[in-house]
Amino acid sequence: MPRGIPNAKRDESAMRFTSFHVPLAPNPKHVGSTYLKSESQTLWSRNAARAGKNKAVADEVSAPSGVEGRRGSKVLVIHPGSRWLRVGRASDVTPVTVPNVIARKQKEAVPEPVFVPNIIRPREDRKRGHPAFIPQPNDEYGISLQSDDPFDERVAAITISLRDRMRFYKLRVATNAANIASTFNESFKPEILPEENDPFRVNWISTSAKEYHVGEEALHLSDPHSLGYVVRWPIYGRTFNARGYPSRQLILEDVETILRNVLQEQLDIDSRSYKDYSVVLVVPDFYDRFYVRDMARMLLINMGFKQLCAQQESLAATYGAGMSNACVVDMGACKTSIACVDDGLVIGDSRMCLSMGGDDITEFLYVMLEKMNFPYRDVNLARSYDWHVFEDLKARLCTLAEGDVGLNLYDFVVRRPGKPTEKYGLRAYDEIILSPMCLFEPRVIEFDNKRAGKGPIPSIDVTEEIVEQTSDHTQAMMISTQHLLPTALPKPILVQQPEPQSSLPASGPQTPGIINPVQPSPSVPQEGEDTVTPTAVPSVPAAAPEGSENQAPETPEQTIVDASTTEPHNAASTEVKPVAPTVTGDGTADAPMEIVDVDDGDTKASTSVTPAAVQVQQPVLFQPPQPAPVYPGGFPIDVFFEASKLPLDVAIFNSARASGGDEKIRKYLQAVLVIGGTALTPGMAHALESRLQAIATPLVPNMEKVQIIPPPKDVDPRVLAWKGAAVLGKMDGVADLWITPQDWDIFGMRALRERSFFL
């Protein structure tokens, strides 16, 4: 330590991964330089001044005209999603929407595609034509479960919730609808449509030598497996889709290939023009830091765009809806994100991310219709055209309005490569409303399957820069999982070395035990004071006081004494039979347990702080327990994963709770903005309003009516976030948010953190 520097402390924040001593910052009073003492001397100000001069020179050379002169014509807005990629100029009315999928040709053998089920399945003997329950004769709203299948039990719970709502709205129930629909579907024969009468026929790709196919072309491959193509979706939920990818670099390569192809084919922008375009990237609310970093590097360095601005989905949605305060619910294909926006800033603690979306509704609809003898029997959801059949049925049939439930007749068309187009008829009853109700009753969703095969995520301790990492959970997630957390987190276990032999009792063996970490020093019980024994010690009938088995510790200072001191006063006249040694404490490999033996010859109270030594009759073999897993944040549970299982209405209420007090809850529940493709489900607004009102009214004082804000007129809720980002790209204030490739080379991820409000 240099002399003359008092109170020199190591800088733990910037160099916490090293053991080097970091000198203190120089005293500004002793520095005569003016370098970096004003805002105008920062790199951002110098870049802005240089860009202003270059723009003035360019304007003098040639004035823009026509389409190129429109505001936002040189700004690209990119909104990648799990199923769709939306790209367009900020000056466009609507974006170009293509499936975010790629099919690459492989030299080695391509494995057969396998569909990973995310919805619980019925048993093999109850998949088709076996109703889960029968109606009760005296109550049209009641049901009687006649199956022990777990699937039927969970569906019955959702059905009971539906019948309760129908009873409240005084809607009649068709008691024998399930048998009627099942009989009709089983006997239906398809109608063959001639090719000239099918206006939506598909031109299947049966032979191809191209290296890759992107978007609709990838989905129109007749048989990708036999053609040697592997079909992948590079993005899943809020981050990259690691399932099926051997490395992260291959994911980035596929994302870049899809983006380059869409820009060239749909927007007529070649790679040589990238340097003239700025990019507004829409990122998830609860973003993955590595996802944002890799996307920014790909756009700025690999593709060479002029500059980049990253914006969160919820904030972009409020721009598109013209609102300054809202609780934004983005219901996508694989995830549902919830966040509260306050005056142009996303409240970080209010963010929630649920692992369910439109794909779960599609799969649940398939399982329910299969139960009703679905007439199209050769269904494999791993094939793109079969999945498209149920996507079409979901868009036309599913509803959340209880009044739409009825025994209706529907039709659908199946188009398969190499086979004529077939038209089927279908009858369904409450399957069309039970399917979207899985968002409010997620008991049928297999959440463990959703994260299976995703591969390990990068460690938060491995980073290019020594900076603080973002938290992997929010206050809303903690509120949602507090019932799963222990009341008090376990304290660290301290191991005390055995005392010298002189301090031990005169006779008897003893092993060092686990010492309570909050106990500063062993205390001797005073005269007349009851001794509190740890709850982990099994009670001995003849040697323990009455009720001591479930007695909780009264003070943190616990004294462990011989079992004879806890006997009743008449224990001397009571015969105590020898029992097996009793184990106290939680033994571990590093801290052996303490063994207390109860002997019938020792009945005198001991004032020693350690158990009285007695003769051990037989050794106790103890297998140390396996260490409990520790998840990110040091919690005994995975907070993010457990919070992703919440019902939609409960998650929205918890998000508003995490934003502040009762006033904030009332404020955000009166401005709930629902966007995304799943928001197009009929009756979604009323379903959310009624359920949120039932939750908030008894818990929030002076709670008024919950309001679901519809998107602006003639605006598709699926593109609302993109339109909001396009509005931002045309504003003058975005000039302070741009990041150039030169800035990225110098600062890296720090550039995004300093130029964004959320990193």
Side-chain angles (χ1 to χ4, degrees):
M1 176 68 64
R3 298 185 62 184
I5 303 180
N7 298 328
K9 296 181 180 180
R10 188 172 60 186
D11 189 357
E12 298 288 350
S13 60
M15 300 291 286
R16 59 192 175 100
F17 296 126
T18 70
S19 59
F20 291 101
H21 168 69
V22 180
L24 293 177
N27 192 338
K29 296 180 180 180
H30 301 161
V31 179
S33 172
T34 60
Y35 179 66
L36 289 182
K37 284 195 173 182
S38 64
E39 183 67 24
S40 61
Q41 294 176 342
T42 61
L43 181 64
W44 310 113
S45 299
R46 294 200 299 266
N47 289 346
R50 188 182 303 112
K53 293 180 181 179
N54 296 338
K55 182 179 180 181
V57 173
D59 291 343
E60 292 178 0
V61 173
S62 60
S65 60
V67 178
E68 297 297 328
R70 296 176 58 188
R71 179 184 288 267
S73 59
K74 288 294 184 180
V75 178
L76 290 175
V77 180
I78 302 175
H79 185 190
S82 303
R83 287 284 175 182
W84 303 95
L85 172 66
R86 295 180 172 89
V87 185
R89 296 181 177 90
S91 58
D92 296 339
V93 178
T94 56
V96 174
T97 304
V98 297
N100 197 7
V101 61
I102 184 172
R104 284 192 177 273
K105 199 155 186 84
Q106 300 287 331
K107 295 181 180 179
E108 60 273 7
V110 177
E112 184 76 23
V114 178
F115 183 79
V116 179
N118 295 326
I119 298 292
I120 186 174
R121 295 292 197 270
R123 292 200 301 256
E124 289 294 332
D125 58 336
R126 301 189 60 86
K127 276 192 173 182
R128 300 180 64 89
H130 289 81
F133 41 82
I134 57 176
Q136 294 183 0
N138 299 329
D139 185 7
E140 63 175 330
Y141 300 100
I143 59 175
S144 176
L145 186 65
Q146 59 175 6
S147 170
D148 58 349
D149 191 354
F151 172 82
D152 294 336
E153 295 176 359
R154 301 186 189 186
V155 174
I158 304 178
T159 306
I160 292 174
S161 176
L162 172 62
R163 297 293 173 87
D164 290 341
R165 293 178 64 88
M166 296 181 69
R167 186 199 304 267
F168 177 79
Y169 292 115
K170 296 180 174 59
L171 299 174
R172 300 299 302 271
V173 176
T175 56
N176 199 28
N179 293 331
I180 297 175
S182 179
T183 304
F184 176 85
N185 296 336
E186 187 177 13
S187 60
F188 189 86
K189 301 300 181 183
E191 175 188 356
I192 305 299
L193 294 181
E195 184 177 353
E196 58 272 10
N197 293 341
D198 184 11
F200 302 102
R201 59 181 178 273
V202 179
N203 296 322
W204 300 102
I205 302 175
S206 56
T207 58
S208 176
K210 293 178 63 175
E211 180 183 356
Y212 59 84
H213 292 274
V214 172
E216 293 288 351
E217 289 186 1
L219 300 179
H220 289 169
L221 291 172
S222 60
D223 190 0
H225 173 67
S226 61
L227 294 177
Y229 286 91
V230 56
V231 181
R232 294 190 178 116
W233 304 79
I235 294 179
Y236 184 90
R238 67 187 187 99
T239 184
F240 295 116
N241 183 14
R243 180 180 293 168
Y245 280 96
S247 69
R248 197 180 189 91
Q249 190 59 39
L250 290 179
I251 304 177
L252 291 171
E253 184 179 351
D254 282 354
V255 173
E256 182 178 350
T257 302
I258 295 173
L259 189 55
R260 286 180 180 272
N261 184 272
V262 172
L263 292 177
Q264 180 67 44
E265 299 293 336
Q266 304 288 343
L267 299 177
D268 196 20
I269 301 176
D270 57 3
S271 58
R272 293 172 296 181
S273 304
Y274 290 168
K275 65 181 184 299
D276 300 328
Y277 284 87
S278 306
V279 174
V280 177
L281 177 65
V282 182
V283 300
D285 299 322
F286 193 72
Y287 56 88
D288 181 8
R289 179 183 179 87
F290 300 97
Y291 169 80
V292 177
R293 181 198 64 187
D294 293 340
M295 290 292 290
R297 181 192 289 119
M298 180 195 71
L299 294 170
L300 289 175
I301 306 301
N302 298 354
M303 302 184 71
F305 283 103
K306 179 181 178 181
Q307 49 196 4
L308 171 72
C309 170
Q311 195 58 259
Q312 288 174 289
E313 290 174 341
S314 293
L315 186 56
T318 56
Y319 277 119
M323 304 172 63
S324 58
N325 300 280
C327 179
V328 182
V329 182
D330 187 359
M331 308 173 69
C334 300
K335 71 170 179 64
T336 299
S337 62
I338 307 165
C340 295
V341 180
D342 185 18
D343 291 334
L345 186 65
V346 177
I347 302 176
D349 279 336
S350 67
R351 296 174 297 171
M352 292 279 293
C353 186
L354 306 182
S355 297
M356 53 188 176
D359 286 355
D360 298 306
I361 299 178
T362 303
E363 186 178 350
F364 192 28
L365 178 64
Y366 157 73
V367 177
M368 294 296 294
L369 292 181
E370 277 284 298
K371 199 82 168 154
M372 302 296 296
N373 286 322
F374 191 62
Y376 174 42
R377 291 171 174 78
D378 186 19
V379 179
N380 183 4
L381 294 182
R383 298 188 296 230
S384 61
Y385 47 86
D386 285 346
W387 178 265
H388 178 73
V389 169
F390 284 92
E391 281 283 319
D392 177 67
L393 286 173
K394 178 188 71 174
R396 294 190 295 113
L397 272 62
C398 286
T399 179
L400 281 170
E402 290 81 5
D404 295 341
V405 177
L407 190 59
N408 300 322
L409 177 62
Y410 310 95
D411 58 10
F412 63 95
V413 178
V414 177
R415 299 176 179 89
R416 293 181 289 179
K419 296 183 179 180
T421 304
E422 298 174 338
K423 184 177 180 180
Y424 287 85
L426 169 69
R427 299 197 76 172
Y429 182 57
D430 56 0
E431 292 79 15
I432 62 175
I433 191 173
L434 292 177
S435 301
M437 280 185 66
C438 69
L439 299 178
F440 305 102
E441 304 277 350
R443 64 187 73 228
V444 297
I445 301 177
E446 297 282 3
F447 291 96
D448 291 330
N449 292 353
K450 287 178 174 286
R451 63 175 181 176
K454 295 297 180 63
I457 61 174
S459 173
I460 61 173
D461 296 330
V462 180
T463 177
E464 297 177 352
E465 305 157 351
I466 304 176
V467 294
E468 289 292 336
Q469 301 292 333
T470 56
S471 177
D472 52 3
H473 60 273
T474 63
Q475 182 65 25
M477 298 179 185
M478 294 298 300
I479 293 175
S480 304
T481 57
Q482 61 184 355
H483 63 286
L484 300 175
L485 295 171
T487 55
L489 294 179
K491 297 181 175 60
I493 296 176
L494 303 179
V495 179
Q496 181 174 342
Q497 298 295 332
E499 297 181 0
Q501 187 67 27
S502 59
S503 63
L504 295 177
S507 63
Q510 183 182 11
T511 58
I514 300 175
I515 305 300
N516 195 333
V518 299
Q519 179 179 353
S521 61
S523 59
V524 180
Q526 302 296 331
E527 183 178 359
E529 181 182 359
D530 292 338
T531 302
V532 181
T533 58
T535 57
V537 182
S539 61
V540 181
E546 184 178 0
S548 65
E549 180 180 358
N550 298 325
Q551 183 177 1
E554 298 178 357
T555 61
E557 298 181 358
Q558 299 174 352
T559 305
I560 303 177
V561 298
D562 191 353
S564 60
T565 64
T566 62
E567 294 179 1
H569 295 292
N570 58 354
S573 60
T574 305
E575 181 180 0
V576 181
K577 298 182 179 181
V579 296
T582 306
V583 181
T584 64
D586 296 333
T588 60
D590 297 328
M593 59 195 171
E594 195 171 87
I595 302 176
V596 179
D597 195 7
V598 180
D599 195 297
D600 58 347
D602 188 6
T603 58
K604 295 181 179 181
S606 173
T607 58
S608 174
V609 298
T610 57
V614 293
Q615 183 178 1
V616 179
Q617 299 179 358
Q618 59 182 359
V620 177
L621 298 179
F622 180 74
Q623 188 72 20
Q626 296 294 330
V630 178
Y631 293 96
F635 297 102
I637 63 171
D638 191 343
V639 175
F640 174 78
F641 176 68
E642 296 297 334
S644 68
K645 304 177 181 180
L646 247 64
L648 179 60
D649 49 345
V650 179
I652 296 175
F653 182 75
N654 288 345
S655 176
R657 283 180 61 192
S659 303
D662 294 339
E663 182 180 355
K664 291 286 187 180
I665 297 176
R666 291 191 293 266
K667 173 183 176 181
Y668 291 118
L669 290 186
Q670 292 174 6
V672 180
L673 179 63
V674 183
I675 64 174
T678 311
L680 293 173
T681 305
M684 176 64 73
H686 175 70
L688 276 177
E689 280 183 359
S690 59
R691 288 171 169 87
L692 284 174
Q693 193 75 51
I695 296 176
T697 300
L699 298 179
V700 182
N702 301 325
M703 183 65 204
E704 299 178 3
K705 181 175 172 52
V706 176
Q707 294 183 2
I708 306 298
I709 307 298
K713 186 178 180 180
D714 299 331
V715 176
D716 191 344
R718 294 173 291 187
V719 301
L720 189 62
W722 182 93
K723 290 187 71 68
V727 171
L728 177 68
K730 293 183 287 187
M731 295 172 59
D732 295 333
V734 77
D736 298 332
L737 305 178
W738 292 121
I739 300 169
T740 63
Q742 293 76 20
D743 299 335
W744 184 268
D745 285 338
I746 296 175
F747 296 105
M749 196 64 181
R750 177 184 165 193
L752 268 178
R753 190 177 70 253
E754 294 187 1
R755 304 295 276 182
S756 301
F757 298 115
F758 56 88
L759 286 174

